[in-house]
Amino acid sequence: MKKIFLKILLLIFFGAALLGSQDVQAADTSICDVQITFTSKGNPVFNDKFYIMNLQKAYNKIKKGTITSEDVNSAAWQKVEQQRGVFVKDTFGIDFGVKHSADDTESILRNLYNSGASNLVDQLNGHKKTSQLHFPKNISRRYTANNGKAEGTTAEGINGVFDADGDLVQLIRVKKGNSNVFTIDINSTTALFKGEITNLSNTTKSNTNSFTVEFGQEIVYQLTIDKSLLTQDLPLVINPQTNLVIDDISIPYTQVAAYGDTINLQSLGITTDSSISPNASLTVLKSQIQTKFYNNTLWGYAMTVPQSDSEITITIKAHLAPEVKIKAGLQGATADGEVTPMEFTVGASDLSAKTNFFMNVVATTSTGPLEYSMPTLRTSGINFASVNQNGSKLENKNSYFLGYEQDNKKYIYGQNQWNLVSNLENIDPTTMQVFSGGNQYYLGGASIPIPVNTNLFSFNAEKNRKINESLIKFIGLGQGKKYFLYPLEEVEGERKEIPFTVYNKDHLRSNGQRITSTSIGNAQYGDYKINGLIPDFQAGSTEYNVVMPQHNLFNPRIIVFSELCGIVILIIGFLFFFVRKGK
């Protein structure tokens, strides 16, 4: 019995020793916390699954050339060569004793995954152990939060981040002692760039990686390039959306037309309509081309980043323009194939508060291109409807100055810029822009008469235009400013500022659906009776803030509340009267 007891004690002792040695081994492996915010063109990727896997062993083998015969003779290696009909050595550059730079090694890893050779990576890595990222502070909810954030743990070194389908999203470098906080745009292919906007405050943020700004406002981007990409000169191209105009880049660059001097309709996916006249066809084509350019890149900015032993930061200055005018030859518009000269205006009526104005970066490396998405921009605006003194009907055409206040100083818009004024009473309408009813204004650009709504069942063009004279629409205003309208003329002996703010933000419903809420589509001071009279009113899409003479912005809730209070007071009065009479 004693012998059995001693054996049990020995087993417990050696078991504890074994467990202790495993704990020491685990402690020797640096496990790090990571937090990743996932975006897609500036919008949070929420309620989605992502995984992380440490690839340091595979990375080391490729980088140092320490490939073994076991790797070469493995089923994974042979399968790649048989299925693709290629040699791994020639296609991916992996072989005994073949060394690579850090940049090339990461490119090879990406290339292996993108080529469907993930099993070969697993062979080189010695395992396929993924860890699912989870909701912040809640390991049981294994998906991203509403703001796109997720967190988890992994070993330090090169890690792959994968989507729910097992496709590589991006490689990241996790370091011991670092915060290991990353932002990954799922449209990017690398984490070796870091892009940010440095001159905007948090009040302008639409969401994690997008900002709501004015047309014409200076935007300062910084693009930081990891030193592992700079072991030699790095060719780089910056491709902004057409209306995101680049003003300056801190290193020499060349502007390159994305479609060349001649625009080929076939390359744009546009075909002519032979059923209508040539002139009408050209008008339709022009509209289609302008819309295509609005959603794409018109110019690229090519540069070479010089070789460096440390990271390099490039500064890019830009602004949003409401209109971009171009002249080009059009090929494919006529049956004879001749080049038709044409002038285009990109923006104007195509402008929308729903647009994410992008800036994409493409780098050319020895093992293929790397793509990266910079933070995106949006704009916003607001709509106004003027009503009479008691708020019962739309009023005649009114005119205003547009201003904003900051640090107790007031600025008025004129000549495509903001001008500091000392006294609102002495504004000169010949030097400051006057905004009048009946028009839709693109800040810094042209204005157009508010279109009549021909889709109405009871459409009446004259009545529609008369109503439109009471309306003013703005597009191109930024979030975070204290704007105001200031009447051009006195109303009943006085002029008052009409304060307002604009916004363009993302919200998430309880079911995870993303909703974009703008000051254009959600009037703070609306009135359903007045809005119901306006031809282009659409609840949640196009709503109007009601402006009353002297009372500034009209809040119908206050009126309704006052009326209810009056009714309640009357009821209480009657009850009090009858109670006293009963006594």
Side-chain angles (χ1 to χ4, degrees), residues 9-54:
L9 285 176
L10 288 171
L11 285 171
I12 292 172
F13 175 78
F14 284 115
L18 181 60
L19 287 172
S21 66
Q22 288 179 341
D23 288 340
V24 170
Q25 186 176 358
D28 288 341
T29 303
S30 295
I31 301 298
C32 305
D33 293 325
V34 295
Q35 184 185 85
I36 303 175
T37 299
F38 293 93
T39 63
S40 175
K41 295 182 178 178
N43 297 315
V45 178
F46 56 89
N47 199 29
D48 214 337
K49 294 180 179 179
F50 292 94
Y51 300 82
I52 191 167
M53 180 168 66
N54 185 271

Side-chain angles (χ1 to χ4, degrees), residues 381-387 394-395 398 400-402 435-439 441 450 467-475 477 483-486 498-502 519-520 523-526 530-531 534 536 542-548 552-554:
I382 196 167
N383 305 321
F384 293 102
S386 297
V387 297
L394 290 163
E395 201 179 47
N398 288 324
Y400 302 90
F401 297 109
L402 176 65
F435 298 87
S436 301
N439 294 303
Y441 292 94
I450 297 173
I467 292 173
N468 285 354
E469 287 184 359
S470 302
L471 313 176
I472 297 180
K473 305 177 77 168
F474 291 97
I475 292 181
L477 302 179
Y483 291 106
F484 62 85
L485 292 181
Y486 191 69
I498 303 171
F500 67 93
T501 57
V502 304
S519 45
I520 293 174
Q524 183 179 359
Y525 300 100
I530 295 296
N531 272 269
I534 300 172
D536 71 339
T542 305
E543 297 187 8
Y544 287 81
N545 291 275
V546 178
V547 181
M548 294 179 66
N552 298 337
L553 287 172
F554 165 60

Side-chain angles (χ1 to χ4, degrees), residues 420-441:
L420 178 65
V421 294
S422 56
N423 189 343
L424 292 180
E425 297 292 332
N426 299 326
I427 301 174
D428 184 355
T430 62
T431 58
M432 302 299 174
Q433 185 169 353
V434 176
F435 298 87
S436 301
N439 294 303
Q440 177 164 302
Y441 292 94

Side-chain angles (χ1 to χ4, degrees), residues 93-163:
I94 305 171
D95 200 10
F96 302 108
V98 177
K99 297 180 180 181
H100 297 280
S101 67
D103 178 22
D104 288 348
T105 304
E106 291 191 26
S107 296
I108 290 168
L109 278 172
R110 278 189 294 270
N111 197 11
L112 285 165
Y113 278 110
N114 294 335
S115 302
S118 59
N119 287 343
L120 180 52
V121 180
D122 296 338
Q123 166 63 34
L124 298 174
N125 211 40
H127 65 80
K128 183 180 180 179
K129 296 177 182 177
T130 60
S131 173
Q132 189 169 350
L133 298 170
H134 57 81
F135 199 95
K137 311 300 182 186
N138 192 332
I139 196 170
S140 64
R141 301 173 69 181
R142 299 189 174 186
Y143 48 84
T144 53
N146 289 350
N147 56 8
K149 288 185 179 180
E151 60 185 31
T153 58
T154 188
E156 67 175 325
I158 292 293
N159 279 260
V161 179
F162 302 85
D163 62 20

Side-chain angles (χ1 to χ4, degrees), residues 198-199 217-222 238 244-250 253 301 314-319 359:
T198 60
N199 69 324
Q217 180 178 356
E218 184 180 64
I219 312 298
V220 180
Y221 295 85
Q222 284 192 342
I238 297 172
L244 179 51
V245 178
I246 289 182
D247 300 310
D248 186 48
I249 302 175
S250 59
Y253 65 91
Y301 297 80
I314 299 171
T315 300
I316 306 158
K317 294 183 179 179
H319 71 277
M359 181 184 288

Side-chain angles (χ1 to χ4, degrees), residues 437-512:
N439 294 303
Q440 177 164 302
Y441 292 94
Y442 303 96
L443 195 71
S447 64
I448 61 171
I450 297 173
V452 295
N453 187 358
T454 57
N455 294 323
L456 289 176
F457 176 75
S458 56
F459 173 67
N460 182 310
E462 184 177 350
K463 184 179 179 181
N464 198 153
R465 292 191 187 96
K466 186 66 177 176
I467 292 173
N468 285 354
E469 287 184 359
S470 302
L471 313 176
I472 297 180
K473 305 177 77 168
F474 291 97
I475 292 181
L477 302 179
Q479 194 167 281
K481 273 189 175 178
K482 296 178 180 179
Y483 291 106
F484 62 85
L485 292 181
Y486 191 69
L488 183 65
E489 299 176 354
E490 291 184 355
V491 179
E492 299 188 10
E494 63 179 337
R495 287 195 285 180
K496 288 185 177 181
E497 297 169 31
I498 303 171
F500 67 93
T501 57
V502 304
Y503 59 90
N504 186 339
K505 291 184 177 181
D506 290 334
H507 304 279
L508 290 164
R509 291 178 174 171
S510 56
N511 62 359

